Amino acid sequence: MSQRGRVLFVTGEYPPMRGGVGDYTARLVAALDETGWQTSILTAAAARDNDDPRVLPWVTRWDWTARRAVRRAIEATGANLVHIQYQTGAFAMHPVINLLPMLLRRVGPRVPVAVTFHDLRVPYLFPKAGRVRQWANRLLATSADAVIATNALDRNLLYCWPRVAEQTVLIPIGSNLPDPGHVDAGAVRARLGIAEGECAVGFFGFLTRDKGVDLLLDALERQSEHRVRLVIVGGGLGDTDAANADYHRTLRERLARSSVPSTVTGHLEPRAAAEALAALDLVVLPFCQGASLRNGTLIAAVRAGAPVVTTVPAPGDALDPLVGGESVWLVPPGDVGALTHAVASLLRDASMRARMRQEARAASAAFDWSRIAARHASVYESVLGKRAGTG
């Protein structure tokens, strides 16, 4: 396939670092290989054990010195486009990334910048910065040449900023796990320590406050009709997450004393994680702020064909093409009673779970990485085309 261009990804995390944005970027890089785009990745020094020569783990600290690393990476790779994978926590809450498009214009040739907003959390600027911090995200969006939102809510929020709507596109994220294919459920369940007669209710992802695992445990402790085991596929915290350490410790202590037996797998290789999700009776993802297509764990569970209970999206957000009552089961965020009822109802209804598996696999075609890469390639071509027309 002919070469189309060279894009430099700037991301706060990348494998072998643990984190959803790093996994997403790695999958996108692999999918872009099929489109003819050449890719390089500038990331933190913690990813130095990655043996891919395209990975440039040159950033020791995300502060003002990082701009020199970006310029050096552009020169070393010949990149004609920079794509920021923006998650403010992964950049140590520092505003250097928010100002990067403007900083790049001051030194060297003009290189267009695209940004994907994986969240709209604001960076730390200085004590009592207040509303000025929101300005930093707005500046990043308005100074970029293209903006990508991963979900409807973020897209709608970005649309509120002048000049941003016309350059913003919605491209959903894909699963960071492969298709599990045929799964020997009995063998997988045995490896997970699930006993005969136990109903395996799973959770997938890091144990952070916003995921609602404590609410899931509340719901499982109320189950009287079924013998339930909680299976946490993954667990732990991401390498760039310092904010959830206390919550994580408290939750692990509660798991140890709960009446509900639990298995915490720790990090699994992607195929093993996908097989685990497919072998569970039910996967429950009770996001406290409502489910969103920014939640890669939701997409991974659906892609694996698991019957999923999750929460109603926040106002202004949507899960299309996932449909409540068909491909997923939705309950209000924070409603332990509704969550308890949903789990009990689905555990007693094997035919409903089977239908949900089928519908989930059908809907998940929208999150295919080849489609996602093709849409990114279209964005890149549009940006470079506009650049050529004004250059």
Side-chain angles (χ1 to χ4, degrees):
M1 182 173 291
S2 63
Q3 178 181 328
R4 293 186 175 182
R6 296 175 179 169
V7 56
L8 172 68
F9 286 98
V10 178
T11 176
E13 59 189 36
Y14 199 78
M17 297 174 68
R18 296 202 305 161
V21 172
D23 289 342
Y24 163 91
T25 308
R27 294 300 298 265
L28 178 56
V29 163
L32 281 169
D33 287 343
E34 302 301 317
T35 70
W37 280 84
Q38 290 188 333
T39 55
S40 302
I41 306 96
L42 177 67
T43 191
R48 58 185 169 270
D49 290 337
N50 191 310
D51 58 6
D52 186 337
R54 298 176 296 181
V55 178
L56 311 175
W58 294 350
V59 181
T60 54
R61 293 183 62 185
W62 292 106
D63 57 19
W64 298 116
T65 63
R67 57 183 170 175
R68 293 197 293 270
V70 176
R71 178 54 68 183
R72 176 185 166 205
I74 292 171
E75 295 171 352
T77 63
N80 53 2
L81 187 144
V82 171
H83 190 167
I84 300 169
Q85 299 296 319
Y86 183 74
Q87 183 186 40
T88 184
F91 294 110
M93 301 295 284
H94 196 281
V96 63
I97 295 299
N98 303 72
L99 298 174
L100 189 60
M102 297 183 63
L103 295 173
L104 290 178
R105 290 170 189 159
R106 294 182 178 180
V107 182
R110 167 81 164 91
V111 178
V113 177
V115 57
T116 295
F117 281 93
H118 291 277
D119 65 46
L120 287 170
R121 292 170 59 202
V122 294
Y124 178 82
L125 298 178
F126 49 82
K128 300 182 180 180
R131 296 177 64 181
V132 178
R133 295 193 298 164
Q134 185 66 44
W135 164 85
N137 280 355
R138 178 172 173 171
L139 181 63
L140 175 59
T142 55
S143 60
D145 297 272
V147 175
I148 296 171
T150 65
N151 59 91
L153 181 59
D154 285 354
R155 178 197 59 194
N156 294 340
L157 291 172
L158 289 164
Y159 275 5
C160 295
W161 294 337
R163 302 189 305 278
V164 176
E166 62 192 34
Q167 61 192 30
T168 299
V169 296
L170 172 60
I171 305 178
I173 68 176
S175 172
N176 60 356
L177 303 181
D179 188 322
H182 174 72
V183 175
D184 183 343
V188 173
R189 290 168 71 93
R191 289 199 300 270
L192 295 173
I194 303 167
E196 286 289 332
E198 280 187 330
C199 295
V201 176
F203 171 86
F204 177 42
F206 295 127
L207 301 180
T208 57
R209 186 179 303 277
D210 60 316
K211 304 293 180 61
V213 185
D214 51 336
L215 303 179
L216 171 57
L217 198 53
D218 287 341
L220 296 186
E221 288 174 345
R222 298 182 183 188
Q223 300 296 320
S224 58
E225 184 179 346
H226 305 93
R227 289 176 53 207
V228 175
R229 171 175 290 272
L230 173 60
V231 179
I232 296 175
V233 179
L237 293 175
D239 286 342
T240 60
D241 186 356
N244 281 287
D246 289 343
Y247 173 82
H248 178 261
R249 181 177 60 255
T250 300
L251 181 62
R252 291 300 298 261
E253 291 171 353
R254 183 181 171 190
L255 286 169
R257 65 175 186 269
S258 175
S259 59
V260 176
S262 60
T263 298
V264 181
T265 69
H267 177 70
L268 294 178
E269 291 303 312
R271 182 163 296 280
E275 290 175 347
L277 293 173
L280 298 173
D281 296 297
L282 200 60
V283 172
V284 183
L285 303 170
F287 302 108
C288 295
Q289 278 73 52
S292 171
L293 293 186
R294 76 157 64 92
N295 300 128
T297 53
L298 169 61
I299 293 172
V302 168
R303 188 78 171 160
V308 175
V309 176
T310 190
T311 46
V312 176
D317 208 347
L319 296 179
D320 300 339
L322 303 178
V323 178
E326 296 181 11
S327 45
V328 291
W329 193 279
L330 301 178
V331 298
D335 190 333
V336 175
L339 190 61
T340 302
H341 175 74
V343 170
S345 298
L346 288 170
L347 287 180
R348 75 169 71 100
D349 193 344
S351 63
M352 182 60 185
R353 298 200 308 273
R355 289 194 299 274
M356 289 176 64
R357 289 182 190 274
Q358 184 177 8
E359 294 291 337
R361 295 299 297 269
S364 68
F367 310 115
D368 181 78
W369 277 106
S370 62
R371 296 188 186 186
I372 294 169
R375 295 191 64 188
H376 277 81
S378 178
V379 171
Y380 299 160
E381 290 159 9
S382 176
V383 168
L384 294 183
K386 291 177 182 177
R387 175 65 179 157
T390 59

